Amino acid sequence: MAPKPHRFPQVADTVLQSPPKRARTMATESSIKDAFANYTDYLNLLNEKRERVVKASRDITINSKKVIFQVHRISKNNKDEVLDKAVKDLASVTEQHVSRLVKELQGTDFWKLRRAYSPGVQEYVEAATLCNFCKNGTLLILDEINATLLPLSDPSHQPLQINILDYLLGLADLTGELMRLAIGRISDGELEYAEKICGFVRDIYRELTLLAPHMDDNTDMKTKMDTMLQSVMKIENACFSVHVRGSEYVQLPGSSDPSYLLLGMPDHEI
Amino acid sequence: MKAVFRNVFSAVSRSLNPNPHSSIFLPTLRTFSSIILPPSPFPFRNNAFRLLSATSHSSSMAEDGTSSSVEKQFESFRCQLEESGGLRERVRAIAMEIESATRLMHANLLLVHQSRSVPEVLEKASSQIAVLKKLYNQLGVVLQECPGQYYRYHGEWRSETQTAVSLLTFMHWLETGIFLCILKPSRNLAVSLSTMLHFACHHKLSLGMNASDFGLDIEDYLIGVCFMSNELPRYVVNQVTAGDYDCPRKVLKFLTDLHAAFRMLNLRNDFLRKKFDGMKYDLRRVEEVYYDVKIRGLADKAEEVSYDIKIGARMIMGILQEMKEPINNRRVGKW
């Protein structure tokens, strides 16, 4: 077959000024190859970037989990040291791993690659809010988290800002950890701390019931809401049990340690 | 009870006191400015537990600062999510209209399998192109309200766009015998769908907006092309049945080139990869048809003709014209 002489059209990015007859011109094999060479480059860049984002997200997840485990090591006596270490660890997660996301998620990539980094960011939000609650007793709001991320980017980059959806999903996971914390505190005898957690979790649940239906694709959130309700109920039931049985226990006069020992045997009447 | 309360107070004060050395939570200092720590615990003596359950309640005096910012946050979340939900509804509505326009186009294009003449079929299908342009224009306008969030809502129109691309590339190939490819993709989605539509329907209009904000996603385009290749085996079979024996050669060359070009891509195991694998089977099918035609000598007459595409295209047109004649005038001897 003789090779055919062809012209190929210059396809501009926006306006195409070609006269109607231009459509009759042909694309050579080489122009298809050129186009596909471009597509190859584009897809290679995209996939490599996606890989880097997934790796960063995995590292963020693993290290945020370590922070959460650290917080769970709280007991009556070592609260401050444990929390200080947790806060420091969280800071290093921010500096070492979250910073890797800044360059990758510029422009439209922020939403394009969301599925790659969302689990990591959710875990990070969970760790940050847990630390904040244990240190300060309040909910770390999204603006505050995002403020801490501003120093990660230099002026040439768009700063990485966590979006509402990832924040809310992370918040939902937080309630699970708080449930564990509450049960742990009750075993340790700190009923009042547990009740504080209970109120806090109730509030989060209440607020999220209003927001969950409006989230982008709320299948994730729906399951998390169910789990959240289970967590709230577990805390409430635990507090209830201790509260009801607590009247059976005795306060040793002068000691600041309520002896909520799990023996269930009243020594004598109060 | 006093001992119990002492614990309450120490727990509460410990949790309310911000650590002044915490460098992470700098912005939180402002939220604590309005906290009033009770100087003496006695007003709360009998309300220990009620205080605890009220600490995160917005009406508690002690934590108005923090909890009102929390409440404000959730309030603003509600507004933002309702806004984005509304936007998503509008995008979805436009996507549904795009889908019905492509369905009409597809139904018209299917006539090409029933050996209607190509120009006639193309004319019918092209009537939807203007509709599509308008709809994508609308989509672009809606998305301008949320700059940078193209991919947040992209799922709503993704499959409709893939269908549209497959139909347009097929139509373009039917009409001109060449493959409609986009030459300069960039990270900013610099390929505008309007360019494609423009190319397909020979009009000079542009979308009138910055292509970097709204355009055709490359992966959508590639998947659309794979869908187009799925139509080719069926087309070739029906064309041969109708008597066009040169069609297999043209389609085979086209699909071979296309497949070779696709092989240049490094694909990961996703939907695009699956579709590309499907193209292999389409190519095989077309090869089989070409082989059947060739060994029976049916294509000999066509092969003697010069390969200049213009003549080849004219020939195809001639054959299609012939097919419009009543069936007893057909070249019976070919069977």
Side-chain angles (χ1 to χ4, degrees):
Chain A
M1 285 194 220
K4 307 150 209 157
H6 299 290
R7 290 156 282 137
F8 70 89
Q10 300 295 328
V11 177
D13 286 349
T14 48
V15 179
L16 196 60
Q17 298 292 336
S18 59
K21 282 247 161 45
R22 186 74 81 96
R24 295 259 157 220
T25 60
M26 326 217 215
T28 50
E29 281 176 41
S30 67
S31 78
I32 298 187
K33 289 264 186 308
D34 284 342
F36 273 80
N38 279 333
Y39 305 153
T40 311
D41 290 338
Y42 172 84
L43 287 178
N44 283 344
L45 287 173
L46 178 62
N47 289 330
E48 282 160 23
K49 175 183 279 260
R50 211 179 253 139
E51 277 302 312
R52 292 193 297 267
V53 170
V54 165
K55 284 197 183 119
S57 166
R58 251 185 254 144
D59 287 336
I60 295 177
T61 306
I62 293 173
N63 288 297
S64 301
K65 276 209 190 301
K66 287 188 187 153
V67 172
I68 294 176
F69 288 141
Q70 175 65 18
V71 171
H72 277 312
R73 290 191 190 111
I74 282 184
S75 79
K76 264 184 299 223
N77 311 311
N78 62 3
K79 209 165 274 186
D80 288 329
E81 313 101 74
V82 166
L83 286 178
D84 283 341
K85 179 163 195 308
V87 163
K88 236 190 316 157
D89 290 344
L90 186 67
S92 79
V93 172
T94 317
E95 277 164 42
Q96 291 176 14
H97 301 293
V98 179
S99 54
R100 285 153 65 186
L101 288 180
V102 172
K103 253 189 297 166
E104 311 288 1
L105 299 181
Q106 297 291 302
T108 44
D109 288 342
F110 182 73
W111 285 101
K112 191 173 192 177
L113 299 176
R114 186 165 163 246
R115 271 210 245 133
Y117 66 78
S118 182
V121 167
Q122 288 175 37
E123 201 68 39
Y124 175 75
V125 166
E126 199 185 327
T129 44
L130 184 62
C131 276
N132 184 267
F133 174 76
C134 290
K135 268 199 109 41
N136 307 319
T138 58
L139 177 64
L140 183 64
I141 64 179
L142 181 57
D143 290 340
E144 289 168 2
I145 301 188
N146 281 333
T148 70
L149 298 181
L150 289 176
L152 293 177
S153 49
D154 57 43
S156 64
H157 287 134
Q158 221 176 356
L160 175 66
Q161 299 279 278
I162 298 179
N163 66 67
I164 295 182
L165 306 170
D166 290 333
Y167 174 76
L168 292 176
L169 290 166
L171 217 52
D173 294 334
L174 170 69
T175 54
E177 294 301 329
L178 283 176
M179 182 267 294
R180 287 193 189 103
L181 190 66
I183 304 292
R185 297 296 78 231
I186 286 179
S187 322
D188 225 10
E190 289 187 277
L191 175 61
E192 52 304 337
Y193 197 179
E195 300 227 346
K196 180 156 181 279
I197 296 178
C198 191
F200 186 68
V201 172
R202 273 197 204 114
D203 271 345
I204 295 182
Y205 178 68
R206 210 170 34 88
E207 296 283 3
L208 290 186
T209 42
L210 287 174
L211 296 175
H214 295 298
M215 288 177 64
D216 275 16
D217 75 307
N218 57 358
T219 36
D220 281 352
M221 199 55 181
K222 276 207 199 108
T223 33
K224 286 188 202 258
M225 291 304 289
D226 290 336
T227 319
M228 202 190 303
L229 183 57
Q230 299 298 316
S231 299
V232 172
M233 283 170 49
K234 277 185 200 160
I235 306 178
E236 287 174 344
N237 289 334
C239 289
F240 159 80
S241 306
V242 181
H243 191 72
V244 158
R245 287 177 204 145
S247 56
E248 298 169 353
Y249 292 111
V250 143
Q251 291 313 310
L252 294 178
S255 117
S256 63
D257 228 304
S259 42
Y260 282 119
L261 297 176
L262 315 163
L263 301 177
M265 298 274 288
D267 290 346
H268 52 268
E269 312 276 321
I270 293 178
Chain B
M1 274 317 247
K2 252 194 205 155
V4 173
F5 180 73
R6 222 177 304 146
N7 295 326
V8 165
F9 178 61
S10 56
V12 169
S13 61
R14 227 178 309 150
S15 56
L16 286 180
N17 248 326
N19 182 346
H21 300 299
S22 155
S23 55
I24 292 188
F25 302 107
L26 290 171
T28 64
L29 289 178
R30 63 173 157 77
T31 61
F32 288 107
S33 57
S34 51
I35 288 180
I36 315 154
L37 269 185
S40 77
F42 298 115
F44 304 107
R45 179 196 296 222
N46 292 321
N47 299 335
F49 291 123
R50 224 174 297 161
L51 166 67
L52 290 168
S53 55
T55 43
S56 48
H57 195 281
S58 53
S59 60
S60 143
M61 271 178 16
E63 283 193 314
D64 257 354
T66 13
S67 37
S68 73
S69 69
V70 169
E71 290 235 327
K72 251 189 261 153
Q73 161 180 262
F74 283 114
E75 192 53 49
S76 106
F77 283 177
R78 242 195 306 275
C79 292
Q80 290 179 56
L81 286 178
E82 276 175 11
E83 240 183 84
S84 65
L87 201 98
R88 189 172 280 269
E89 287 302 308
R90 284 149 67 199
V91 167
R92 206 171 279 164
I94 301 180
M96 285 200 324
E97 288 184 56
I98 292 180
E99 206 244 340
S100 58
T102 53
R103 229 178 314 136
L104 277 170
M105 252 173 97
H106 190 214
N108 286 324
L109 262 183
L110 283 175
L111 290 171
V112 87
H113 293 296
Q114 292 163 224
S115 51
R116 299 281 197 91
S117 82
V118 166
E120 183 191 335
V121 166
L122 286 178
E123 198 190 312
K124 283 206 186 122
S126 309
S127 61
Q128 292 299 310
I129 291 185
V131 176
L132 273 185
K133 264 178 84 137
K134 187 175 65 107
L135 289 172
Y136 275 104
N137 242 312
Q138 276 179 20
L139 196 55
V141 167
V142 168
L143 285 175
Q144 270 183 325
E145 296 177 26
C146 53
Q149 295 191 22
Y150 176 95
Y151 282 104
R152 183 173 180 181
Y153 305 100
H154 176 229
E156 306 290 338
W157 69 80
R158 178 181 16 225
S159 54
E160 290 80 3
T161 307
Q162 290 165 2
T163 315
V165 165
S166 76
L167 296 172
L168 288 170
T169 40
F170 189 46
M171 281 168 59
H172 187 84
W173 179 80
L174 277 180
E175 185 182 9
T176 62
I178 66 169
F179 176 52
L180 183 61
C181 59
I182 308 162
L183 289 176
K184 279 181 263 178
S186 86
R187 281 188 74 232
N188 288 332
L189 314 170
V191 178
S192 163
L193 185 59
S194 78
T195 313
M196 271 196 76
L197 295 171
H198 175 146
F199 206 52
C201 67
H202 323 307
H203 290 309
K204 283 192 188 184
L205 308 169
S206 74
L207 269 184
M209 68 184 66
N210 198 350
S212 64
D213 287 333
F214 178 72
L216 178 61
D217 181 54
I218 292 293
E219 288 183 295
D220 282 349
Y221 167 73
L222 292 171
I223 293 176
V225 169
C226 292
F227 280 133
M228 182 230 354
S229 93
N230 293 339
E231 288 287 320
L232 291 176
R234 195 175 158 220
Y235 174 69
V236 145
V237 162
N238 290 325
Q239 286 299 96
V240 167
T241 314
D244 172 8
Y245 301 111
D246 194 43
C247 185
R249 181 184 58 82
K250 290 182 57 189
V251 173
L252 181 61
K253 174 156 198 331
F254 172 55
L255 197 49
T256 316
D257 289 345
L258 191 61
H259 186 76
F262 260 84
R263 276 212 310 272
M264 289 171 60
L265 303 173
N266 295 318
L267 300 174
R268 57 189 189 129
N269 270 341
D270 58 353
F271 189 60
L272 176 57
R273 178 77 199 270
K274 277 204 200 87
K275 292 288 133 207
F276 163 63
D277 290 339
M279 198 191 281
K280 253 196 316 256
Y281 296 105
D282 296 334
L283 180 58
R284 224 192 84 203
R285 201 71 192 84
V286 172
E287 276 173 1
E288 284 170 6
V289 172
Y290 175 67
Y291 175 73
D292 282 336
V293 166
K294 181 140 192 225
I295 57 163
R296 289 179 176 83
L298 298 171
D300 283 346
K301 185 171 176 188
E303 270 178 38
E304 286 167 27
V305 177
S306 144
Y307 287 111
D308 182 51
I309 282 283
K310 284 194 193 125
I311 297 177
R314 247 185 269 141
M315 224 199 76
I316 299 247
M317 296 304 290
I319 293 173
L320 291 171
Q321 291 295 334
E322 265 184 65
M323 293 190 303
K324 280 188 177 168
E325 296 166 22
I327 200 153
N328 15 22
N329 289 353
R330 292 273 186 87
R331 296 171 301 231
V332 182
K334 285 294 178 179
W335 269 269

